[in-house]
Amino acid sequence: MTDALWILLLALLVAAALAVVRRRLPVLFWWLVGYPAVTLRVLATYRAAMDACGLTVPASAMRRATARMVGRQAAPVPPRRSLPLPTGSGLVMRLRMAAGQAPEDFNASADRLRHAWGAHAVHVRPTKPGRLELRLVGWDVLTDVRPPRRRLRTEPLTLPLALREDGHWHVRDFRTVPHELILGATQSGKSVYLRNLLCGLARQPVALVGIDCKWGVELAPFAARLSALADTPDRANDLLDVLVDEMEARFRLIGMKGGTGPDAVLTSDVWGLPDKARPVPVVVVVDEVAELFFAASKDDEKRRDAMVTKLIRLAQLGRAAGIYLEVCGQRFGAELGKGATMLRAQLTGRVCHRVNDETSANMALGDIAPEAALAATRIPAERPGVAVVGDSSGGWSRARSPHLTLEDAAAVCRDTSGLIPELPRLEAFRPVVAQPSAVPAAQPSARPVTG
């Protein structure tokens, strides 16, 4: 075999190996091939790409005068940049904008820069006045999302729940965004997001309360870690009464404990209390919230109005008392009845998976950013778990949660059942969990084969 054939065979083997690495280990492929190639392309075409996108400014008078002296024309000046630094999913450059430029100019040209540099996506983030961060993503990081190999540093009541399309993790911070609305149609990934949320909270000293009016089919697998569970509208109404009483008792505690003593500091919420006097946080998960709004009779209407009023009250005042709401459902619109829009206004965190109607997407994200609601309606059905995550600040991003099976989530809740805090008001609503039998199951007896 000639040397040319050996070289050709070796090149084919290397190409096949790189194709496998690119499919199975995209991070390794990025470090071996993607980052060097994209970096060289960015460095070689930076000035031309910025000029083509209209992101350059005329040269200064000094440069123009110097160029005339040597018989040349001064070229437009692009923004000053740092060296492209690698990240786990791409690279990042820090730019210093010229006078008259704004981050919106770079946002408008992000798609053109993506094509010019051969990246999967380009994201722009202002860091401080006059400076911004240009982040290039090398591949679609939402294709295969896995939990982070090293646990991210998080404070209490903060959970990394979903990977955003820019490579950062969406961290659910209850103290910053106390209440959240989660929407998604069947098989959209809403349940997987909720499983990650419950498993993350189950490992922390938090009281978990579930309201699932579909006879508990969604939240029953996590009963081992729940402090309370209501599976019918009547029981949900009683549980909300207890939660309102718990909230009022905590406000009385804040009034008595806050500011007592010569060195005490005045406080208006539970987090300003001493550690020993601080009550345990409570997270209330309301699954399929539309079931609370449905009414078939006048008695149902009275109960519905009462439950919605209590939910709104918890949403308005619960943050200071350490009570937080996670409201989930397949749809959420003003047609559900009285109080739906008012409750939505208190749920500042928004997570919208694929929904069946545009009204739900607008209800979830329309008041944050119209383009976010449009992005939610374009989530394909073959990509379950992809959602649009936003908050009341107006920022939003596509994200996807790591896949977590129901069996694994239920096992985490069983393993952390010893962390259930003592809350006497909720004892009457503690779900009954069947203990596994220690007697081994009887083996079926062998039967003769008959013809």
Side-chain angles (χ1 to χ4, degrees), residues 142-155:
L142 302 185
T143 301
D144 183 19
V145 179
R146 300 179 182 181
R149 293 184 178 180
R150 55 186 181 88
R151 189 172 295 275
L152 302 177
R153 290 185 179 181
T154 56
E155 301 293 332

Side-chain angles (χ1 to χ4, degrees), residues 179 310-318 325 343 346-347:
H179 313 302
K310 294 164 192 172
L311 279 175
I312 293 174
R313 194 176 179 196
L314 287 172
Q316 288 178 332
L317 305 174
L325 293 181
L343 176 61
Q346 303 296 328
L347 307 175

Side-chain angles (χ1 to χ4, degrees), residues 155-194:
E155 301 293 332
L157 286 175
T158 58
L159 306 168
L161 294 180
L163 183 65
R164 298 199 314 239
E165 59 183 348
D166 61 357
H168 288 292
W169 281 87
H170 164 63
V171 178
R172 175 77 170 95
D173 187 353
F174 284 85
R175 295 183 63 179
T176 303
V177 182
H179 313 302
E180 187 174 62
L181 175 63
I182 306 171
L183 292 183
T186 303
Q187 301 296 323
S188 66
K190 172 175 62 70
S191 297
V192 175
Y193 181 90
L194 188 59

Side-chain angles (χ1 to χ4, degrees), residues 302-364:
K302 293 180 181 179
R303 182 185 58 200
R304 177 199 65 187
D305 295 342
M307 287 192 293
V308 173
T309 301
K310 294 164 192 172
L311 279 175
I312 293 174
R313 194 176 179 196
L314 287 172
Q316 288 178 332
L317 305 174
R319 185 203 64 81
I323 300 177
Y324 309 101
L325 293 181
E326 289 289 325
V327 178
C328 312
Q330 293 189 28
R331 61 174 288 102
F332 195 89
E335 71 276 5
L336 290 180
K338 177 182 177 182
T341 304
M342 186 179 297
L343 176 61
R344 190 276 305 259
Q346 303 296 328
L347 307 175
T348 53
R350 311 289 173 80
V351 179
C352 186
H353 298 78
R354 177 179 55 82
V355 290
N356 293 326
D357 59 309
E358 188 177 352
T359 302
S360 296
N362 289 328
M363 195 71 172

Side-chain angles (χ1 to χ4, degrees), residues 119-160:
H120 176 75
V122 174
H123 300 276
V124 179
R125 184 177 69 89
T127 54
K128 55 184 179 179
R131 299 178 184 271
L132 54 82
E133 182 181 270
L134 204 65
R135 181 175 294 269
L136 278 69
V137 180
W139 72 97
D140 187 2
V141 297
L142 302 185
T143 301
D144 183 19
V145 179
R146 300 179 182 181
R149 293 184 178 180
R150 55 186 181 88
R151 189 172 295 275
L152 302 177
R153 290 185 179 181
T154 56
E155 301 293 332
L157 286 175
T158 58
L159 306 168

